[in-house]
Amino acid sequence: MSELTEPLVRQGLVAPEDLVGCTVEEIETLKESQGVTTLPARYREFLEQGGRTPYWLAHLGEWHYEWLLEAKNIAREIVEDHGDDFAPYADAFIFQTHQGYMFLYFRAADLSQLDPHVWTYTQGRPAKGSDQPFTQWLGDLAAYLPHAIRLRRDLGPR
């Protein structure tokens, strides 16, 4: 993950003190909270290096540590509120929810992979796998960061 964070810090886009990672104990607690025994290696690296409060990278969705402890329950509500069956997602790892209608996840079958593809559940649509692995998804967020910062600056305080 340093290949993602170091250029952002060098360019002054991310302050080093904003890169707060999870401890080994926190990662274990997160796994327990979602009922999984393993996490993809690249996602685990992300958690360790700056994933406790990842809003330094993007303000898209809810994906900080405290939220992820409840993310499986939130995903269940999203699915069941739409009348769908949660069984296909019960063994998945939910790593982001968004505004109560969608979530991003790793399928159970992909949890032992180094860098699995990102999957999305959106109410009213079939689950969809992305054409990119997690690190590429993160890279896209990092590439968009300068534009997002300019946009926030141009819009000014709210």
Side-chain angles (χ1 to χ4, degrees):
M1 285 297 116
S2 60
E3 67 274 6
L4 176 74
T5 58
E6 287 176 9
L8 297 174
V9 170
R10 263 195 319 275
Q11 294 172 54
L13 298 173
V14 172
E17 60 271 13
D18 291 339
L19 297 171
V20 179
C22 293
T23 66
V24 171
E25 293 80 16
E26 288 172 328
I27 292 171
E28 289 304 311
T29 300
L30 186 56
K31 287 170 27 184
E32 288 172 21
S33 76
Q34 292 211 23
V36 300
T37 58
T38 189
L39 290 172
R42 295 305 303 240
Y43 178 71
R44 187 179 181 103
E45 287 176 33
F46 171 73
L47 286 174
E48 291 169 347
Q49 292 189 16
R52 191 172 207 298
T53 55
Y55 299 113
W56 55 270
L57 184 57
H59 290 266
L60 301 170
E62 301 86 20
W63 60 324
H64 62 279
Y65 176 77
E66 299 297 330
W67 187 270
L68 292 179
L69 292 172
E70 297 298 322
K72 184 74 72 97
N73 294 328
I74 294 164
R76 180 182 300 278
E77 289 175 16
I78 290 170
V79 171
E80 291 177 350
D81 284 353
H82 193 262
D84 290 335
D85 181 15
F86 188 70
Y89 314 102
D91 295 328
F93 182 84
I94 314 303
F95 69 87
Q96 185 184 80
T97 64
H98 187 70
Q99 298 184 352
Y101 73 94
M102 70 179 286
F103 57 87
L104 302 177
Y105 66 101
F106 300 119
R107 298 179 311 173
D110 299 336
L111 290 175
S112 61
Q113 289 185 11
L114 174 68
D115 192 15
H117 286 245
V118 173
W119 283 75
T120 305
Y121 171 88
T122 304
Q123 284 182 336
R125 298 182 186 158
K128 181 180 179 199
S130 72
D131 59 351
Q132 58 187 177
F134 176 70
T135 53
Q136 188 176 350
W137 180 81
L138 283 178
D140 287 353
L141 291 179
Y144 184 73
L145 189 58
H147 175 72
I149 290 170
R150 272 193 309 278
L151 187 60
R152 276 188 245 141
R153 185 183 57 232
D154 292 349
L155 290 175
R158 292 181 172 216

